[in-house]
């Protein structure tokens, strides 16, 4: 296998704050739009969650919007680039074309949601728009994206892949096997480690003894970079460099984006394990949207431009919410369709023949039933 | 004494065993400071310290492998899988290293792997699994899956004292939904012994974990509505199986329904059917039937999950068919 | 045409499918320059180059995961496990990611995972495994396990063309021990269809892979010595099962012996027994019996391996018991 | 968890040739003895293999004896140190107290071999002498040894563990998870990567894109060192430093030992994939025993001292061979013992009751039987 070890470089220090030189005015506003859409959509989901309209848990990316949006923005959708998001990459999915109504339907487990009610929250994908849904098992998407980008290389396509992992997921065997495989094959793959300080309740110091996660790059012989994940422009730029490198045949880059998870692992988590003041400090001093607004206003943007984006976002979310709320729950029998391409559906089990929904017809909801969760 | 939930019973077992034996320690993701995703280990680190209640990196193979290494040296590790679904990433080390240690190398490997299992909670395909069928096939492992708070405690204490590796599945639907007064003292439930959860004469339901409760509901209903007397056998231990209890109930009622929440093909019901066939074929007055989940990853949306998982009404349908046979 | 071994038949299938479809490619450890531990892929890299015959790092999870990613994009990957025993380290990604892709995400994942399987070769506990029972339980996967050279070729070609993930187990004991003239042309063996390897009227043996040959030997012996006529059904596909063929032979002979080389508890015989029970209970004139390996990791020393694995003489004992029932 | 990141240091260059200052004259001869014993024992096994007295494959460590012996010699058996060998660590096991007769019996699958014929070749262990048998699945011993050494730490024992992995095994998820776990816990563990250039037929360049395997150390936050694995003294010294560090509470060290596999993966492998001349060059210029003999003679040792060790080795191997050849194969029914502590044995399956050995009694060896392998 032809392979130049020169591609392996020492990890750099934090990339300096981005200059956004190659982004147009419209693009810079678009970044704002996606960050705002991410945050407002999650806020709407919190409302729906409190109204118990969300089925299961709710996962937030509050304070991480820049990292998700800026990195995904570095991909070229017109070329067919593909990303694989994590639970905190709602922003990345929106950039890649996911629709608020899809997200809300997923969270409400609706029958016309992208997974027809089969999978949770933002676990879904669309090959046409270029994102592949994760499964829960952390790390597994790294080998999968190694294979996606291997196919780009084999077919000499001008496409790049991007996969996200959390600081916690770097401990998994799958992460290790996947990035190593991609590195040896020089797949056009960008691996972004979102270092938000915690994996559920576990702080980085219980996850790794490394001083920084980008230090793993040299051990895989890939380029390592580290950037301020709460600076959307810096995030965009570091990812863009890696995307260009991948597209140019330079193989894998490992990027560590420094950010912070301001909410609990999911809505139910009270964050008792977080040192006092830490969250407030990040909120006050390092909110990615506040920082970006300040920057835009310092440049040549008007408050009114941003306000009109905010209004557009609210309107879109309102429409999406109405649509999602109005849409139906799945038909129970859809559960039997599509395990294999052939045969395309299972027959109902014998004790279910003629019973539309066992629960509706026969269950006693007042006793030990299946209704309260 | 007051009533204790299934979840609290598990926690009690952990405290009692850590008190009893210095060699017992716990390891897993977020089990220490946070007390675990379901708070099963709450208070454990405060009492026993970070050396005996270890918050690990996200690496189930390392958790299980490290437990094995410590077990060889005389420790008694108790591993938590945050959800039992993640045991899949430790499948290799568990089936190839741990399960074979005694046989191939005369190395003792007394350890427990426990974790929240099962569905009926809108957890979707990766937070609802029942892993027993994946391990039933591995000589060297033991598996228990309690249905009651009392067995939850008694089986965990026995598992921790067992000289071999025990997979301890705890049903998350039962965590806070069932309660009972626990027996006092050093309460141990023997591994390898099933429990008759309800006596009956006409049909036997063989089951375990959450579906024990569904079976009991269905039994009551057909008793009341049809006058059919149903025995419910709660296996409790899935490996090694209690053949005596299984054959005993078959010989008593001559009609068998096996119920499990897990998917159908390759599920544990097959093995039970084969054993009954071999040991009590002559006593069978009807085919052994199965009520199980449909063969799909468990979907998340309530109408889908309800449709895929076995429900009380399904058991009723099956009991009626067996009664009429 | 000349005779071709089971191993050569596999190799022929690979060449033909790589010729036919540019999207087919192979990946695995030492399959390229070296041609694989058993030389199954010999000559493949010389013909198709290092881009389509990829020597990978030692990382089965990455091999399987990368195959899945490429399959999503329209490729047709064929993964080799150097020994099928190492599929255990890809268990998570195979059962949770690959098997569920179509169902949970409407993502096609057409790929093959193949590897040398089975015992009778003094390979010891980690180079002799039969992995079918570990996956039987996973909705979304298919499994095939050929017994003849012709099926070895035909099933691999069908597996590569299948729209879903097929686990293709090849029995290493058969690699060079059996030979036959293969059908010409584009020879495909349908997935999901069993094969009657021997017609008979008195007892049915249901089996697959290497024990098909043991079953045939035993059948001959009891025919000659006892005048008992034995039908042998070679399942070929283990998932999804050919219920029609299974029920068909049961209804014909009314006596069933299931034989598998894999360990007993939780083995595939249980599932088959349950299905027969449900669909053909009335036709059974005797209990369904099993001849299987004993429930231990397969030991390495010849007297131990011979004792643990099912032998022709065991099948004879079981057939006689069934005939006398 | 108290943990100082200062322990993490940049990987060093190749450690300079060892000075053997702290080794006595007797110890230096002992190193020679173990290397010679390793090589001669394997040569004897080759003879037995050619006589088809070995069941299954034969694995050689020719050219790697220094790496195995020197590293294991750095452990302190009197303190209860424990190692976990790989297939090419026969030398390490001999140092730790394994006996030639055990090795030969294992290879001949005898009933009184350490595993009673259950496991292959050098896959066996002994807790009293301090070695733990590997399984075939590469990488799995790293988490296991993390746990062994975790127990040392928990019990405040003065013991250290050593685990070997090949260059190929560094690609496994288990290696990654295990070393990371041990690093975070600061287990007293030494991880030795034996870089012998190949994993089966796969050269290092197809295994990893890293320039050197020791570059992985920083990504785990552990000390990394690299040494000449064909210099037994250098190997001893680099390992001794790591052992001392572990015993002193300094946690994990990752050592890359540079060596070369002169034989095929196993005896059947013809090494067609090795570039012409490579093996001969290593044999001529870098044989670890030749190098050590030269060094000993350059110091103050006599040829006769070495010759008498050689004679002792031959005698020991002769005795061991005789004993192993004379010992019995296992009783078939032993196969049913010891799956669990309780019950201690399985009953024979019903179709085996009363049959001593199915094969002996009923099988037809001339046809499709189980006799020829
Ligand atoms: C293999 C595996 N083990 C455990 C879990 C349970 N789990 C879900 S999220 C999580 C923490 C993830 O932390 P990190 O990777 O840092 O991502 P973040 O949530 O911080 O974005 C854990 C332990 C899992 N999903 N997969
Ligand atoms: C998980 C796993 N996959 C594949 C194999 C098959 N296998 C056995 S040894 C080997 C090569 C090992 O190379 P390396 O780790 O460099 O050790 P070396 O033989 O060179 O000492 C392979 C691929 C295995 N034993 N385990
Ligand atoms: Mg995190
Ligand atoms: Mg090597």
């Amino acid at each position: 296998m032809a392979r130049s070890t020169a591609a392996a470089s020492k990890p750099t220090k934090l990339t300096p704050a981005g200059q956004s030189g190659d982004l147009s005015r419209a693009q810079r506003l678009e970044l704002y739009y996606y960050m705002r859409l991410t945050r407002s959509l999650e806020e709407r989901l919190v409302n729906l969650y409190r109204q118990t309209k969300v089925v299961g848990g709710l996962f937030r990316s509050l304070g991480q919007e820049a990292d998700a949006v800026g990195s995904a923005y570095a991909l070229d959708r017109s070329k067919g680039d593909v990303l694989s998001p994590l639970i905190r990459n709602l922003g990345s999915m929106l950039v890649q074309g996911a629709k608020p109504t899809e997200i809300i339907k997923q969270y409400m487990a609706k029958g016309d949601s992208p997974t027809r009610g089969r999978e949770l929250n933002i676990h879904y994908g669309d090959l046409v728009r270029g994102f592949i849904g994760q499964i829960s098992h952390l790390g597994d998407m790294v080998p999968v994206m190694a294979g996606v980008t291997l196919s780009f290389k084999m077919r000499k396509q001008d496409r790049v892949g991007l996969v996200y992992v959390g600081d916690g997921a770097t401990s998994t065997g799958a992460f290790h096997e996947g990035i190593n495989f991609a590195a040896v094959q020089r797949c056009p793959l960008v691996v972004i480690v979102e270092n938000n300080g915690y994996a559920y309740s576990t702080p980085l110091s219980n996850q790794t003894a490394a001083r920084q996660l980008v230090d793993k790059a040299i051990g895989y012989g890939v380029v390592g970079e580290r950037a301020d994940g709460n600076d959307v422009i810096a995030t965009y730029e570091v990812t863009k460099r890696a995307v260009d490198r991948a597209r140019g045949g330079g193989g894998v880059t490992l990027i560590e984006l420094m950010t912070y998870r301001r909410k609990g692992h999911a809505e139910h988590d009270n964050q008792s394990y977080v040192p006092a003041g830490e969250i407030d400090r990040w909120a006050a001093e390092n909110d990615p949207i506040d920082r970006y607004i300040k920057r835009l206003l310092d440049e040549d943007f008007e408050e009114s431009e941003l306000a009109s984006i905010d209004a557009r976002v609210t309107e879109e979310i309102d429409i999406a919410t109405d649509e999602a709320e109005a849409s139906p729950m799945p038909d129970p029998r859809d559960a039997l369709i599509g395990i294999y391409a052939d045969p395309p559906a299972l027959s109902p089990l014998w004790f279910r023949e003629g019973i539309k929904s066992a629960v509706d017809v026969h269950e006693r909801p007042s006793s030990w039933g299946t209704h309260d969760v | 004494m007051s009533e204790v939930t299934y979840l609290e019973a598990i926690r009690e077992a952990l405290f009692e065993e850590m008190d009893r034996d210095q060699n017992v320690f716990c390891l897993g993701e977020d089990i220490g400071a946070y007390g675990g995703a379901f708070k099963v280990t709450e208070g454990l680190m405060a009492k026993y310290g970070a050396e005996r209640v270890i918050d690990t990196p996200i690496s189930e193979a390392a958790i299980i492998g490290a437990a094995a290494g410590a077990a060889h040296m005389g420790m008694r590790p108790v591993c938590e899988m945050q959800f039992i679904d993640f045991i899949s990433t430790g499948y290799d080390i568990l089936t190839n290293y741990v399960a074979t240690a005694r046989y191939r190398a005369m190395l003792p490997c007394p350890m427990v792997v426990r974790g929240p299992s099962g569905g009926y909670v809108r957890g979707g395909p990766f937070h609802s699994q029942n892993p027993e069928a994946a391990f039933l096939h591995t000589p060297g492992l033991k598996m228990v899956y309690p249905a009651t708070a009392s067995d939850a405690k008694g089986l965990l204490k026995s598992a921790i004292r067992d000289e071999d590796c025990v997979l301890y599945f705890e049903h998350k639907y039962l965590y806070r939904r069932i309660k009972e007064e626990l027996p006092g003292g050093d309460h141990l439930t023997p591994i390898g012994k099933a429990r008759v959860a309800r006596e009956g004469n006409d049909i036997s339901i063989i089951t375990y974990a959450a579906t024990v409760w569904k079976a009991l509901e269905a039994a009551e209903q057909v008793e009341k509505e049809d006058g059919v007397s149903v025995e419910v056998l709660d296996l409790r231990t899935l490996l090694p199986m209690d053949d005596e209890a299984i054959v005993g109930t078959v010989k008593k009622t001559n009609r068998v329904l096996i119920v499990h929440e897990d998917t159908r093909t390759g599920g544990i019901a097959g093995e039970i059917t084969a054993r009954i066939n071999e040991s009590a074929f002559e006593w069978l007055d009807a085919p052994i039937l199965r009520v199980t989940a449909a063969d799909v990853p468990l979907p998340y949306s309530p109408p889908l999950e309800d449709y895929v998982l076995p429900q009380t009404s399904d058991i009723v349908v099956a009991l009626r068919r067996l009664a009429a046979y």
Side-chain angles (χ1 to χ4, degrees), chain A, chain B:
Chain A
M1 192 97 353
R3 201 165 38 68
S4 111
T5 50
S9 78
K10 289 269 150 59
T12 59
K13 293 253 161 265
L14 261 195
T15 306
Q19 301 309 313
S20 64
D22 67 339
L23 287 173
S24 71
R25 207 169 187 291
Q27 288 176 311
R28 281 179 284 168
L29 281 179
E30 207 177 19
L31 285 173
Y32 175 74
Y33 163 75
Y34 283 120
M35 289 205 283
R36 175 61 69 200
L37 181 60
T38 305
R39 181 164 299 179
S40 299
L41 180 53
E42 287 187 2
E43 284 165 355
R44 176 61 52 89
L45 288 165
V46 172
N47 287 343
L48 293 166
Y49 179 82
R50 297 208 173 119
Q51 298 167 51
T52 71
K53 288 180 178 162
V54 162
V55 179
L58 173 60
F59 296 82
R60 296 292 308 276
S61 66
L62 182 70
Q64 300 185 220
E65 296 91 345
D67 125 33
V69 168
S71 53
Y73 205 77
L75 293 179
D76 189 338
R77 283 181 60 201
S78 73
K79 289 198 153 70
D81 291 349
V82 173
L83 64 78
S84 170
L86 276 185
I87 196 67
R88 291 182 222 292
N89 292 109
L90 173 58
S92 317
M93 289 172 70
L94 293 170
V95 169
Q96 201 71 349
K99 297 283 162 246
T101 175
E102 294 170 334
I103 308 288
I104 302 172
K105 286 175 180 174
Q106 277 289 119
Y107 265 108
M108 297 178 81
K110 291 301 181 95
D112 60 351
S113 71
T115 65
R116 312 207 309 247
R118 294 168 179 203
E119 248 282 36
L120 310 155
N121 53 57
I122 67 169
H123 285 207
Y124 77 96
D126 180 356
L127 285 186
V128 176
R129 285 175 283 180
F131 53 102
I132 294 185
Q134 64 187 307
I135 63 167
S136 297
H137 291 70
L138 295 168
D140 281 1
M141 298 314 295
V142 184
V144 171
M145 287 301 294
V148 166
T149 52
L150 178 70
S151 81
F152 297 163
K153 195 191 87 172
M154 291 174 82
R155 288 172 158 171
K156 307 202 185 343
Q157 295 173 329
D158 196 26
R159 302 167 73 179
V160 168
L162 165 58
V163 63
Y164 296 92
V165 291
D167 44 287
T170 63
S171 299
T172 63
F175 162 80
H176 175 73
E177 293 198 3
I179 190 171
N180 183 59
F181 183 102
V184 171
Q185 286 295 324
R186 289 182 78 73
C187 295
L189 179 64
V190 181
V191 179
I192 290 190
V193 179
E194 296 181 299
N195 184 349
N196 63 4
Y198 292 89
Y200 210 140
S201 74
T202 304
L204 192 66
S205 58
N206 277 346
Q207 196 68 241
T208 178
R211 269 170 307 181
Q212 43 182 14
L213 291 167
V214 70
D215 283 352
K216 294 185 182 289
I218 190 173
Y220 298 112
V222 302
V223 181
E225 296 215 45
R226 194 171 192 240
D228 179 351
N230 283 15
D231 175 344
V232 69
I233 301 293
T235 295
Y236 165 77
E237 288 184 339
V238 72
T239 313
K240 186 67 165 51
R241 270 199 301 284
V243 167
D244 290 346
R245 184 177 301 119
R247 217 182 304 277
V252 177
T253 303
L254 176 72
I255 298 174
E256 181 181 13
L257 292 179
M258 303 306 296
T259 182
Y260 186 78
R261 197 194 74 202
R262 266 159 53 198
K263 285 290 181 180
H265 176 61
E267 275 299 288
H268 70 268
D269 166 4
N270 68 8
Q271 294 175 282
S272 54
Y273 49 83
V274 177
E278 193 177 91
I279 297 168
D280 293 342
R281 205 162 54 245
W282 278 84
E285 296 166 16
N286 211 341
D287 181 80
I289 298 188
D290 292 350
R291 279 177 64 184
Y292 193 49
I293 292 176
K294 188 160 176 307
R295 178 193 186 115
L296 289 176
L297 298 181
D298 282 352
E299 296 179 4
D300 55 349
F301 292 87
E302 303 292 328
E303 291 219 22
S304 62
E305 290 175 286
L306 305 186
S308 83
I309 289 177
D310 293 354
R312 180 182 144 208
V313 161
T314 307
E315 201 195 318
E316 286 174 358
I317 294 174
D318 285 344
I319 294 171
T321 308
D322 289 346
E323 192 192 323
E325 294 216 49
S327 81
M329 293 303 271
D331 179 321
R333 293 194 183 219
D334 187 57
L336 302 182
I337 294 174
I339 270 288
Y340 298 122
D342 177 30
L346 306 176
S347 329
L349 291 169
W350 64 270
F351 48 80
R352 281 296 168 76
E353 276 160 12
I355 300 176
K356 188 176 179 303
S357 159
V359 175
D360 294 345
V361 182
H362 294 284
E363 203 73 15
R364 293 176 293 165
S366 56
S367 78
W368 193 93
T370 60
H371 285 283
D372 57 322
V373 180
Chain B
M1 262 203 305
S2 65
E3 293 201 322
V4 163
T5 64
Y6 184 97
L7 184 145
E8 289 158 351
I10 297 169
R11 191 188 294 138
E12 275 190 16
L14 291 172
F15 273 94
E16 288 181 17
E17 293 303 300
M18 289 190 73
D19 264 354
R20 186 188 56 80
D21 182 353
Q22 275 294 319
N23 293 314
V24 177
F25 73 103
C26 295
L27 69 171
E29 296 150 20
D30 307 295
I31 66 167
Y34 189 64
F38 288 89
K39 302 288 178 190
V40 172
T41 55
E42 187 148 59
L44 221 55
M45 184 185 259
K47 177 148 187 207
Y48 300 105
E51 285 257 312
R52 288 183 70 198
V53 184
I54 300 175
D55 273 326
T56 68
I58 303 176
S59 41
E60 288 77 13
I63 293 169
I64 293 167
H72 294 336
M73 308 313 288
M75 304 296 293
R76 296 266 165 177
V78 181
C79 307
E80 175 174 304
M81 305 282 101
Q82 193 159 91
F83 284 80
I84 204 69
D85 311 62
F86 305 127
I87 201 171
S88 57
T89 66
Y91 181 81
D92 165 56
I93 205 156
L94 204 43
T95 58
N96 285 306
Y97 187 84
V98 172
T100 64
R102 178 178 300 281
Y103 186 77
R104 80 181 142 75
M106 293 88 208
L107 265 179
C109 205
M111 56 184 273
V112 174
V113 181
R114 47 160 288 271
S117 313
Y120 299 106
V121 298
R122 315 332 186 180
F126 307 114
H127 291 74
S128 307
Q129 292 175 8
N130 286 291
E132 58 271 22
F135 298 100
L136 181 65
H137 166 254
T138 307
L141 297 178
K142 296 184 175 180
M143 293 197 289
V144 300
Y145 205 161
T148 66
S150 156
D151 286 340
K153 180 170 179 184
L155 283 172
L156 183 51
K157 286 168 62 90
S158 293
I160 292 172
R161 299 187 198 182
D162 199 274
E163 296 301 326
D164 290 298
C165 175
V166 181
L167 308 183
Y168 177 96
F169 306 133
E170 40 201 65
H171 204 292
K172 68 175 89 68
Y173 186 86
L174 302 180
Y175 269 161
R176 297 186 165 87
R177 281 188 179 77
I178 61 170
K179 259 188 204 266
E180 85 193 81
E181 241 180 59
L182 299 187
D186 192 21
H187 167 60
L188 297 167
T189 305
I191 291 178
K193 293 277 166 237
R195 170 184 76 98
V196 176
R198 182 183 201 275
E199 302 257 7
N201 298 310
D202 301 328
I203 307 180
S204 298
I205 300 180
I206 300 175
T207 188
Y208 55 94
T211 46
V212 167
W213 300 97
K214 302 255 176 218
L216 290 171
E217 270 189 3
E220 261 179 70
Q221 188 179 336
V222 298
E223 172 113 51
K224 215 179 301 168
E225 297 178 10
D226 309 48
V228 172
S229 159
V230 177
E231 178 143 309
V232 176
L233 186 72
D234 170 7
L235 288 177
R236 304 197 291 197
T237 294
L238 307 182
L239 191 66
M241 274 188 192
D242 187 349
D243 288 317
E244 214 177 273
I246 292 171
V247 170
T249 191
V250 174
K251 291 192 175 169
K252 181 174 176 196
T253 66
N254 314 114
R255 285 180 160 74
V256 184
L257 177 67
I258 305 172
V259 178
H260 61 61
E261 179 188 322
D262 193 14
T263 50
R264 188 173 192 79
T265 299
I268 197 167
E271 178 62 27
I272 299 170
T273 306
R275 287 174 183 231
I276 294 174
N277 212 279
E278 289 162 339
S279 312
F281 180 73
E282 312 260 345
W283 279 265
L284 286 178
D285 288 346
I288 300 165
L289 297 182
R290 296 184 281 183
V291 168
T292 66
D295 280 336
V296 296
L298 193 61
Y300 146 72
S301 189
L304 301 177
E305 185 183 36
D306 288 344
Y307 187 73
V308 169
L309 290 180
Q311 306 294 349
T312 301
S313 54
D314 301 322
I315 303 174
V316 169
V317 169
L319 288 172
R320 288 187 173 143
R321 172 155 160 188
L322 274 176
Y325 191 89

